[in-house]
Amino acid sequence: MNVRTAREAQRHALRPDTSDGRRLVVIFAITQTLGYGCLTQGFSVLMIPISHDLHSSRTAVTVASTISTLIGAFAAYPVGRVLDRYGGRALMTAGSASGVLGVFLWSWSTGLPELYAAFVLIGLALAMSTYDAAFAVVVVATAKDRRDGAIVTITMITGFLTSFFYPLIGWLQGGLGWRSTLQVLAVAMMLIVIPAHLWAVPGRDTHHSRITKRTGFRLGDAIRTARFWLLLVSFVAQAGTTSGFLVMMVTYFQNVGFSAHTASTLPLAVGVLQLTSRLALAPLSARFGMLPVTTFSFAAQALGLLLLPLADAAILPTVLCIMAFGLGYGISVVARPSVVAGTFGVTRFASIMAITAVPMAFARAGTPLVAAWLENWRFLILLGSVTAVAAVALVPLMRHQHRADG
């Protein structure tokens, strides 16, 4: 009886989901909020005092953010390989430590070289300890029927709470100055995020025990399938158009005749639909499947972008078009890990996700430049057309989805 009880306890401990999965959702909701809040949200708030203090142009300071994005993209593949092989505890803890060091170095910067070096560390931290790494841990630690709900919960809480970092950082900067504000953020990460990842993220032995009981494609086999390239086209196209519109939308609204106040308020409709769509995603995907829901949301986003020029300065149709855009934007963050795991399984999930990171990063960086060059309604037609391609690319997968995760 004792041997049988011990074996049953061992099987329960190695089974995906249960209390371990719920604990990860809670911990990642906290650490992702602090991670994104401390590593990225403060940049736009602090840009002006930083540029003044460093006697540099805002353009030169903004290069730091680009460096972070590119470092994170190029680090994604080796990070994914480590996650697949060893799990996330050591990697996410080290990534959090890199973020703490990066934010401290940022606060000590006296010139552009130190600032850029700080954002190399921050780029590594984003690759090692934020969404893609967290999702790689979650898909192994949770069962298929609870995976989408776990990812939705993490992104819902993170998306909502990180919005409060803008006023928080602005308030701290007003009272402490930008350097002390960054040091407060670094200390918060050091005291909360590093210990939380070290304590809650499963270690290598638990990861190995779970991954051997799951199924999935090898990386080389996955990238030789048409499914992989259709997914790549879809998510790269959608990521680029989303980035382009988010950068250009306030300028566009002012160009068509809205006041500066109205133009800066209209993006709230994006936030509302982003949160609403994620809240509805788990029950909708359970009923209709993640791919059909994602395809519909991308098609709605394309339609919103294509119809927006016809709205001109009319407030109601403009809001409806923005809400259609927000639908696709909200779902895409959750859909990518869910669809990749559902299509290719979890044994090489992190590596397959990482392969898409570089083209997505270049799309996010390059599309706003093209949109700014086109100006006016023409950039909306381009972005809407590209988003329509993103939706169409998913149609064959809806008909022939292969469920690889056993």
Side-chain angles (χ1 to χ4, degrees), residues 48-67:
I48 293 175
I50 290 172
S51 62
H52 286 166
D53 249 23
L54 302 187
H55 307 290
S56 303
S57 69
R58 296 180 193 177
T59 302
V61 171
T62 304
V63 169
S65 179
T66 303
I67 289 171

Side-chain angles (χ1 to χ4, degrees), residues 41-42 44-46 49 163-182 184-185:
Q41 304 296 90
S44 60
V45 179
L46 302 176
S163 63
F164 290 98
F165 271 78
Y166 291 109
L168 173 63
I169 291 171
W171 176 73
L172 288 172
Q173 192 273 329
L176 301 175
W178 69 271
R179 295 183 187 276
S180 294
T181 295
L182 289 173
V184 169
L185 297 178

Side-chain angles (χ1 to χ4, degrees), residues 7 21 41 61 72 79 91 103 109 120 126 136 173 177 182 214-215 224 230 246 259 265 276 283 289 353 375:
R7 288 175 178 173
Q41 304 296 90
V61 171
V79 165
L91 188 97
V103 177
S109 298
V120 169
L126 290 169
Q173 192 273 329
L182 289 173
R214 313 297 289 276
T215 59
R224 283 192 288 270
L230 288 169
L246 290 174
S259 68
T265 303
T276 303
M353 285 278 285
E375 294 184 344

Side-chain angles (χ1 to χ4, degrees), residues 67-84:
I67 289 171
S68 171
T69 300
L70 294 177
I71 290 294
F74 287 114
Y77 179 68
V79 165
R81 295 283 287 180
V82 172
L83 284 166
D84 284 334

